[in-house]
Structures are given as structure tokens and as C-alpha cells.
Amino acid sequence: MIRTTCILIITITVVMLFVAVNVTGDAREAAATVMATIKPTPEPTSKPTATAKPIPKPTKRTTPKQTKTVTKSTPKPTAKAISMSDLDLLARLVHQEARGCSDEVQLLIANVVINRVNDPRFPDTIRGVIYQRGQYSGAGSLGSVRPNEDCVENARRVLEGERFCPAKVVWQSESRQGKHLWKRVGNQYFCY
């Protein structure tokens, strides 16, 4: 768990540095900006001590009443680490499709890509989905796109497992596609 957290912190720091270098054009200034945002871990206030826990007395077993809980089902992120190339490519697509749009639109666009990766009708990689023939018209020019910080952050959130639309929503366009409309935000339609 600690190793995963450390890797995640290092990955986020590298992404922030990458974005800052692209924005400022100066590696020293970018590194100073990134380092200024990193807060040191506070020192512990006291040293933990081992304490003996009392052994509980046996009690009469009762069967708890079963309660029905309703939870909203969302797909769980996979255990694999976020690939820097996937983050970069998804952020570029989000920038291409929704630069200047709200965070909601950017998050939904990134979410549609992940929904497609998980849908058997589409390729099973982010690169495969984005470059699938006839899907994203601007995919051919993504190499020259420099995503802004919002696009990188929104792509990261979706890659880390946050979900903003149902898994069945696999169409996003400025016109309706698929059989049903899930939601329209601005000029973007999100359909299934």
C-alpha cells in the first residue's frame, strides 16, 4: 500500500512537472513551481506504544437482522498503474474535444473513452479507442496538441477510477448517436 502511494505521488509529480515545463518552457521554473506545491509530511506528535488489549468475554451469539442497502454501482478501476502515455494521450484528446469547456464536459469525454475500453464493441486500449477509424476526427493531429492543466487533471481523475456517467454511455458528439440520449451538456450529447 505504501509503495503504491509513493509511486502515485511520484507519478503525479512527474505529470505536474511535464505540464509545467510545457506551459512555462523553462525546466528550472517548472521544477520550482511543482516543488512549491508539494507539502512535507508532518512529523508524528508522539511515539506509538504497544498496549495489551483485554480479551473479550464470550457472549451469546445472535444473528443480526439483514438489512437491504442500496448502493450506486460504479465500475472499479483496475489494479494496474496509470500509464503516463495513456494519461498524456487521454489529456490530449480531452483538450482537442473540449478545451474551454467545463470540467463536467471534460470528465464525461474522458469517461466515454474508458467506457469504450471496457465495452466489447470497441478496442480494449485507450490508444485503440482514440485511433479507431471513424471515431475521433481530430485524432490524427493529437501529436501537436499540448493539453492544459485542467485537461490533464480531468483525464487523471478518470484514469484513477472516478466515474461520471454510466458504463453504457459510449457515444459522445455534437449530435445524437446511439439509440438513447443519457445527457446533453452544452453542445455535447452523451448517448448509449
Side-chain angles (χ1 to χ4, degrees), residues 4 30 54 84 92 97 109 119 153 158 163 165 174 184:
T4 304
M84 293 303 290
R92 287 171 189 257
E97 294 280 314
I109 288 171
D119 188 297
E153 174 63 17
V158 172
R163 295 296 175 258
C165 64
E174 290 181 357
R184 179 179 177 193

Side-chain angles (χ1 to χ4, degrees), residues 21-170:
V21 168
N22 283 329
V23 171
T24 64
D26 181 14
R28 283 188 211 131
E29 184 181 334
T33 303
V34 170
M35 293 309 290
T37 62
I38 298 173
K39 296 178 183 170
T41 304
E43 292 294 321
T45 55
S46 65
K47 193 172 188 178
T49 57
T51 57
K53 294 182 182 178
I55 299 172
K57 292 181 181 179
T59 59
K60 184 178 177 184
R61 289 188 141 192
T62 59
T63 307
K65 288 184 178 179
Q66 289 189 351
T67 58
K68 198 173 197 178
T69 51
V70 179
T71 57
K72 196 171 187 179
S73 174
T74 56
K76 299 292 182 199
T78 58
K80 70 176 187 175
I82 296 173
S83 156
M84 293 303 290
S85 62
D86 282 348
L87 175 60
D88 180 56
L89 185 58
L90 187 57
R92 287 171 189 257
L93 178 75
V94 168
H95 186 86
Q96 178 93 352
E97 294 280 314
R99 80 179 149 268
C101 291
S102 67
D103 282 345
E104 179 184 19
V105 172
Q106 292 180 8
L107 290 163
L108 287 170
I109 288 171
N111 204 150
V112 166
V113 172
I114 299 305
N115 287 352
R116 286 182 174 200
V117 168
N118 295 325
D119 188 297
R121 296 174 289 175
F122 297 94
D124 61 356
T125 64
I126 290 172
R127 177 170 287 289
V129 165
I130 291 173
Y131 288 110
Q132 185 179 18
R133 186 179 201 128
Q135 297 304 310
Y136 292 98
S137 60
S141 62
L142 288 178
S144 63
V145 172
R146 297 291 171 240
N148 61 32
E149 289 180 37
D150 290 339
C151 294
V152 172
E153 174 63 17
N154 290 329
R156 182 196 57 76
R157 287 177 65 187
V158 172
L159 285 173
E160 286 181 347
E162 288 186 62
R163 295 296 175 258
F164 302 92
C165 64
K168 65 184 177 184
V169 178
V170 293

